Amino acid sequence: MSHEVTVHSGFRGLRYVDGRFDQVLEPGRYELPARGRFHRRAPQVEIVPIDVRERELNIKGQEILTADKVAVRVNIITQFRVVDPKAAVEQVAAYNDRIYSDVQLAARRSLATMTLEAILTNRNQLSEDILRDVEGISAGYGVQIIRADVKDLVFPGNLQEIMNRVLTAQRMAEAQMVEARTKAEREALEASSRADAKRVAAEADAEAKRIRADAEVDALRRLAAAAEAYAQHPALLRLRELETMGALGANASARLYIGFDKHRDSIDE
């Protein structure tokens, strides 16, 4: 009597006949041959399902020495998929375990060439080195490594404390630099404002002096013109005297003193 086997989506089926690989089955329903009757031998058929979906493997707590002999514990998340089900089953005993050890060794090789400072400043390089190292190896047993990202870096307790102090000092230094820069910019702006105010005041004072000087020059010019006119026409000067006396006479508090001494001699004669 025959029976059926279903290969689900996201899987492939490896069909073995009498223990020998026969073919890779796509998702679907397959009928297996019935067992032999009356002592007739039927081939033994087995279908092994292989998951070909993208999966994740978390490699935790690997303690590795850096190039400058600092022990670092790393956690690495590896994303992979089986691209050749036959090779994944037949080339290695357990491809999950093989991925784990290959990524672990790749991380050790990469970290051994990097200093602690390089790791801290460029963690992406570490991930790229691990992926580049392991992807060619995993292709040999039918697995594609998609990503191998360093999730966490854990340092020894004393080193972590030192790093925290260094980071705190750096943040304080940066804050002080920002404060000093802001203060210098503010003082420069205030000095510039004071200089502008002094310049404007000096320009205004110079303009006022120029206007006064122009007015004085104009007044002297007018006086000189008047003097020249009086010299040429004495009657104008006499008329000006009479106008002045008339204006004074209209003021009740004004006093006029007229000298008659110059006419005394003529009267005595």
Side-chain angles (χ1 to χ4, degrees), residues 33-86:
R35 295 172 181 245
R37 300 178 63 185
F38 304 109
H39 304 289
R40 291 175 55 190
R41 183 182 180 279
Q44 183 180 359
V45 178
E46 181 185 7
I47 297 178
V48 179
I50 302 297
D51 192 342
V52 295
R53 296 171 296 179
E54 184 178 316
R55 284 180 285 168
E56 188 173 279
L57 181 63
N58 196 353
I59 302 173
K60 297 182 178 181
Q62 300 302 307
E63 187 168 304
I64 304 171
L65 286 177
T66 64
D68 45 359
K69 306 305 179 185
V70 177
V72 179
R73 296 178 67 87
V74 295
N75 295 331
I76 305 170
I77 294 180
T78 303
Q79 295 174 344
F80 69 96
R81 69 161 61 94
V82 174
V83 294
D84 185 347
K86 178 177 181 293

Side-chain angles (χ1 to χ4, degrees), residues 108-142:
R108 290 183 181 279
R109 285 191 292 268
S110 181
L111 279 170
T113 63
M114 299 177 68
T115 63
L116 179 62
E117 181 180 1
I119 295 170
L120 292 174
T121 57
N122 194 1
R123 185 183 298 189
N124 289 336
Q125 180 185 343
L126 178 57
S127 299
E128 292 168 2
D129 289 347
I130 295 172
L131 178 61
R132 185 169 50 250
D133 192 350
V134 79
E135 61 184 354
I137 299 172
S138 66
Y141 50 88

Side-chain angles (χ1 to χ4, degrees), residues 19 33 51 60 62 65 69 96 119 136 141 149-150 152 155 158 174 180 197 231 239 259:
D51 192 342
K60 297 182 178 181
Q62 300 302 307
L65 286 177
K69 306 305 179 185
N96 278 352
I119 295 170
Y141 50 88
D149 291 339
V150 176
D152 299 309
F155 307 100
N158 59 338
E174 290 173 357
L239 180 61

Side-chain angles (χ1 to χ4, degrees), residues 213-228:
D214 290 345
E216 291 174 357
V217 170
D218 186 63
L220 291 174
R221 187 180 299 113
R222 291 176 182 273
L223 289 175
E228 183 179 358

Side-chain angles (χ1 to χ4, degrees), residues 167-224:
L167 290 175
T168 301
Q170 288 178 344
R171 284 193 292 267
M172 291 181 61
E174 290 173 357
Q176 290 174 352
M177 288 179 62
V178 171
E179 182 180 358
R181 189 181 301 113
T182 302
K183 181 179 179 181
E185 291 175 352
R186 183 175 64 251
E187 290 178 350
L189 183 61
E190 292 175 353
S192 177
S193 298
R194 289 195 298 270
D196 290 342
K198 289 181 179 180
R199 178 178 54 79
V200 171
E203 290 176 354
D205 185 58
E207 181 67 14
K209 289 180 178 179
R210 185 187 63 79
I211 292 173
R212 286 197 300 270
D214 290 345
E216 291 174 357
V217 170
D218 186 63
L220 291 174
R221 187 180 299 113
R222 291 176 182 273
L223 289 175

